[in-house]
Amino acid sequence: MDDRKLDSKHKVSVQKQVRAISKAQASKGHRCPHCGSAVPEHAELCPFCMHPLHSDSCTFCGATLLPEDRFCPECGNPVEGVPCPKCGTVNFRNFCYKCHEPLTAHAEEEVARAHTDPAYQRMITAAGELAALEESVLKAISSNRPEKETLTADDVELINHYRNLISELNNNDTPLHEIADNSESESLKKTVAGSDPAELMARYRQKVEEINNLLREFAPDADATPQMQRDYYSARKIPVVYTTRQKSKSGW
């Protein structure tokens, strides 16, 4: 089975949503002052050029800004944005939206807290196990098995959803937490291509439920600004080690 087919439905859906929102907002006259694109009225950043849409609040911390402010009076970040030292992209948030590099002292502190968070450590292991199960499922399906033993539409949707959830999001350069020494992960990696796909999918669904339960444990300070709450989640990306031994920095 071509892995790319699992992602296509999701990507098309997102593209349709973006076009629909742009079309609706264009009719209402909401446009980005920087690039002129039609944008949602209450968005903080333009989804096309990633520049601020409102000049009266700091996109880094949420503090109120005055027209003459060049730097935020609360967090000290420049109104004109922070260039990423890794990829050069100008950002208006604490993490680079392209390469996810932490750009500010607050971002660095949040990353350090994330890597001492027990729930985060358990999530790393569970994500690696889910990736191993996905690979085992796809190997079993692609082996010489009866035609009827293929993934159902629901199976494809589930795998596609959680692949997008834990993959293709770059992490920063903090040390990766490998899952290779975890006994359950090792047993998953040793699952052969000839295993029963139905049994593997049952184990996959159990691991999805475990991940969902772990996600419920993540909660930033309820009194924090939306910007600070966003940084809480941005710092908790999940590095996954696939069974091919290729590291993939990922997250939700």
Side-chain angles (χ1 to χ4, degrees):
M1 178 174 291
D2 189 344
D3 291 356
R4 292 173 294 182
K5 292 181 180 178
L6 293 174
D7 294 326
S8 60
K9 182 177 179 182
H10 173 76
K11 291 179 179 178
V12 170
S13 176
V14 171
Q15 291 170 354
K16 287 183 177 179
Q17 291 178 34
V18 171
R19 286 196 293 268
I21 291 174
S22 297
K23 184 176 180 180
Q25 295 301 330
S27 64
K28 297 179 181 179
H30 301 301
R31 295 191 173 276
C32 171
H34 182 79
C35 71
S37 298
V39 295
E41 180 180 6
H42 301 294
E44 183 180 52
L45 300 181
C46 173
F48 300 97
C49 70
M50 300 304 292
H51 278 68
L53 297 175
H54 308 282
S55 60
D56 58 351
S57 63
C58 175
T59 54
F60 293 92
C61 71
T64 299
L65 295 176
L66 299 176
E68 63 270 20
D69 285 336
R70 299 292 301 275
F71 296 88
C72 174
E74 293 294 329
C75 68
N77 286 309
V79 174
E80 296 300 318
V82 175
C84 175
K86 180 179 288 187
C87 69
T89 303
V90 176
N91 288 266
F92 298 87
R93 287 179 174 169
N94 292 297
F95 288 84
C96 179
Y97 73 88
K98 280 193 174 180
C99 70
H100 203 70
E101 179 78 358
L103 302 176
T104 65
H106 171 76
E108 294 282 3
E109 292 168 0
E110 196 61 63
V111 167
R113 282 192 288 270
H115 284 287
T116 58
D117 184 344
Y120 175 73
Q121 302 305 320
R122 292 196 297 274
M123 177 61 75
I124 290 170
T125 298
E129 292 166 354
L130 190 70
L133 274 169
E134 177 191 332
E135 185 169 341
S136 294
V137 168
L138 296 179
K139 282 183 178 179
I141 293 299
S142 63
S143 63
N144 296 325
R145 308 193 65 84
E147 184 68 23
K148 63 180 180 180
E149 292 187 353
T150 59
L151 294 180
T152 66
D154 287 342
D155 292 338
V156 171
E157 184 175 3
L158 184 68
I159 289 177
N160 188 43
H161 174 73
Y162 280 89
R163 173 184 292 159
N164 286 316
L165 188 70
I166 67 168
S167 67
E168 298 181 357
L169 292 179
N170 290 328
N171 203 337
N172 45 68
D173 289 332
T174 54
L176 295 177
H177 298 267
E178 297 206 8
I179 63 170
D181 295 331
N182 181 275
S183 59
E184 184 176 0
S185 298
E186 282 297 290
S187 69
L188 291 176
K189 291 180 181 183
K190 293 176 182 177
T191 302
V192 298
S195 297
D196 178 47
E199 179 184 352
L200 288 171
M201 277 307 304
R203 294 172 67 183
Y204 187 92
R205 293 188 188 94
Q206 290 176 351
K207 190 60 60 176
V208 163
E209 183 60 30
E210 178 184 336
I211 286 178
N212 286 336
N213 290 334
L214 285 170
L215 285 172
R216 297 185 185 102
E217 296 185 32
F218 290 89
D221 185 348
D223 294 328
T225 65
Q227 291 78 11
M228 296 295 101
Q229 292 188 31
R230 179 187 61 235
D231 290 341
Y232 171 92
Y233 291 110
S234 294
R236 286 158 174 78
K237 301 299 178 184
I238 313 169
V240 178
V241 181
Y242 287 90
T243 59
T244 57
R245 303 299 301 159
Q246 292 180 342
K247 297 178 183 178
S248 174
K249 301 177 181 180
S250 56
W252 63 87

